Amino acid sequence: MLPQSRAAVPFFSCFLFLLLSLPSSVALRASSHHPGHIPALVPHATLPLSRPSFSALPQLDFTTHCNTTCYQQGEASPSWELLTERLAYETLYADGTRTLTTVDLEDKEEEEPGPAIQPPPRRWRPAARGRRKRQIYGADGRFNIRGNNFLLDYPFSTAVRISTGCTGVLVSERHVLTAAHCVHDGKDYVKGARKLRVGFLMPPSNSTKTERHPPGSQPERKPLVRWVRVKRTRVPKGWIQGPQEASMDFDYALLELRAPHRRPYMRLSVAPSAQDLAGKRIHFSGFDSDRPGELVYRFCPVEDESNDLIYQHCDARPGASGSGVYGRVWDAALERWERKVIGVFSGHQWLEINGENRDFNVAVRFTPLKFAQICYWVKGNHLDCLQD
């Protein structure tokens, strides 16, 4: 872990600048991978529901356990009826009311669902004798983002705080993507979801009224946070009341702000195979609870992937849940590499495969169906999503 002293700041700034500005083409040549046809998700009916109790407690350290059955779940094609049931969604409004929207999937015969990707060969290593400290693997590889030249610039400026203690990412002029468990525990909405807010980092105050400091020293001023109310929250039915092992597959939610913001946001993409990401790396920035008031950035290679989850060893702590996981994806239309959100950081999972235990930090990957759902939530028109 890099020291957080002032002497380390110039080195860190240079390193981070080189990392972010490195031409993606030198990391990996453009591949011919294409995510395929995007299904059309069309609302079928909207039904009123009773008001939630807001009795659940936020889960900032979300952990699941999985064996061969749930790990291979995505390899067997679910029925079309089960898919449409999981892709139905609840909408929670600011006044405490909620609705359930059922959906239809068009092009059923042409787009019969199957595996979105072919996962790479499994290379399971024997379990370690003792479990490592959860979510930190070896030396801590996270970086505190400091200084307005980094903190308030893209892509770090797309990271926002969620008032329940999680992180989110800006994906449109008024939409924030986060983890479902940050607002709903699978049975009920968390207490803080009644008046959910999103926090935007702002430059420190330039007020001349500052405390006295030793001559020649520069006081470090932390950025301020401007909180904005959420108009409505959408959670997929695949998360609500699902078994814990399967729920992580749908651990995402979309928040709509009351008014548009003026920040740059990050576009969404169907998650390609790790082989088709520049450098096979993923990145995300979040507000880890062990570093209060700091935005923490990390990157790491993808270790393994299933149809619905990205397995990796990016260091993270509670509070990072809901961070937008992004990678450099080849944009055929623009003919260049683009940073795009391909998933949401969910938490930690213990895997038991053939009697061997391994642990990973896990992100939900955006399959074509999930992309179609989230895109519809953002744009309100499935035709716009077919051309995205």
Side-chain angles (χ1 to χ4, degrees):
M1 179 175 63
L2 291 178
Q4 297 300 330
S5 64
R6 290 190 180 90
V9 172
F11 170 78
F12 166 73
S13 300
C14 294
F15 169 78
L16 195 58
F17 175 78
L18 290 174
L19 176 67
L20 295 176
S21 60
L22 181 68
S24 303
S25 57
V26 303
L28 184 70
R29 294 175 58 188
S31 73
S32 58
H33 173 82
H34 189 274
H37 176 71
I38 303 300
L41 184 142
V42 183
H44 176 73
T46 299
L47 310 171
L49 298 175
S50 59
R51 289 175 176 264
S53 301
F54 297 102
S55 60
L57 297 176
Q59 303 179 65
L60 300 185
D61 194 6
F62 185 54
T63 302
T64 61
H65 294 77
C66 178
N67 56 27
T68 305
T69 303
C70 66
Y71 182 74
Q72 296 178 345
Q73 172 186 336
E75 297 179 0
S77 299
S79 67
W80 199 259
E81 290 73 17
L82 181 58
L83 278 174
T84 53
E85 179 181 347
R86 290 176 176 175
L87 291 170
Y89 57 90
E90 277 193 14
T91 302
L92 173 68
Y93 297 90
D95 62 359
T97 60
R98 61 174 177 152
T99 59
L100 171 66
T101 302
T102 59
V103 300
D104 291 326
L105 298 174
E106 292 187 350
D107 302 329
K108 172 179 176 180
E109 296 181 357
E110 178 183 351
E111 299 297 329
E112 190 66 29
I117 62 168
Q118 184 63 37
R122 318 288 193 257
R123 293 185 292 274
W124 300 105
R125 297 192 295 268
R129 291 185 179 180
R131 291 185 172 183
R132 291 164 287 187
K133 184 178 179 181
R134 183 178 299 167
Q135 296 181 308
I136 299 294
Y137 299 88
D140 194 335
R142 297 172 297 166
F143 302 97
N144 285 15
I145 303 302
R146 293 173 176 170
N148 293 351
N149 56 325
F150 283 124
L151 192 60
L152 301 179
D153 285 348
Y154 186 89
F156 305 118
S157 59
T158 64
V160 292
R161 296 178 61 179
I162 307 299
S163 57
T164 54
C166 291
T167 302
V169 60
L170 301 174
V171 294
S172 86
E173 294 89 348
R174 61 192 309 157
H175 291 94
V176 175
L177 197 62
T178 189
H181 75 258
C182 296
V183 297
H184 195 291
D185 73 346
K187 299 296 182 181
D188 191 17
Y189 290 89
V190 303
K191 293 180 178 180
R194 186 191 300 269
K195 296 181 179 180
L196 197 60
R197 298 177 298 161
V198 170
F200 291 78
L201 294 184
M202 304 294 291
S205 173
N206 291 324
S207 173
T208 57
K209 296 181 179 180
T210 59
E211 298 179 0
R212 293 182 178 181
H213 296 272
S217 66
Q218 274 297 10
E220 183 180 344
R221 294 178 299 175
K222 291 188 177 182
L224 305 176
V225 180
R226 178 175 64 90
W227 294 97
V228 178
R229 291 290 300 273
V230 171
K231 178 181 178 181
R232 55 186 173 185
T233 302
R234 282 172 167 160
V235 182
K237 198 69 165 61
W239 167 260
I240 298 173
Q241 296 181 345
Q244 188 181 47
E245 290 81 2
S247 291
M248 195 174 251
D249 295 350
F250 291 88
D251 188 14
Y252 56 90
L254 190 77
L255 317 180
E256 182 178 345
L257 304 175
R258 284 190 169 183
H261 60 83
R262 297 181 180 180
R263 300 283 181 92
Y265 58 87
M266 199 173 296
R267 294 171 59 198
L268 297 167
S269 172
V270 174
S273 168
Q275 301 292 336
D276 297 311
L277 290 172
K280 296 178 62 177
R281 291 193 300 263
I282 58 171
H283 314 246
F284 59 98
S285 300
F287 297 92
D288 301 47
S289 59
D290 64 334
R291 300 188 183 183
E294 302 278 2
L295 179 63
V296 185
Y297 163 74
R298 73 228 78 195
F299 67 95
C300 68
V302 176
E303 298 285 341
D304 201 356
E305 52 191 349
S306 68
N307 291 331
D308 290 287
L309 300 176
I310 300 172
Y311 295 94
Q312 32 78 21
H313 286 153
C314 284
D315 294 323
R317 295 297 295 150
S321 292
S323 299
V325 173
Y326 64 91
R328 288 184 179 267
V329 180
W330 181 253
D331 191 311
L334 299 176
E335 295 187 347
R336 67 188 184 196
W337 295 89
E338 288 284 316
R339 294 186 187 92
K340 293 184 179 180
V341 179
I342 61 172
V344 171
F345 180 64
S346 177
H348 193 77
Q349 187 172 92
W350 290 97
L351 283 173
E352 182 180 351
I353 307 294
N354 300 326
E356 297 177 354
N357 291 317
R358 292 191 67 188
D359 61 311
F360 292 95
N361 283 334
V362 179
V364 179
R365 64 179 301 133
F366 295 155
T367 63
L369 285 170
K370 294 173 186 174
F371 174 87
Q373 181 189 56
I374 298 171
C375 183
Y376 174 77
W377 289 347
V378 171
K379 298 190 175 182
N381 185 342
H382 72 278
L383 295 178
D384 293 336
C385 298
L386 298 178
Q387 301 172 0
D388 201 313

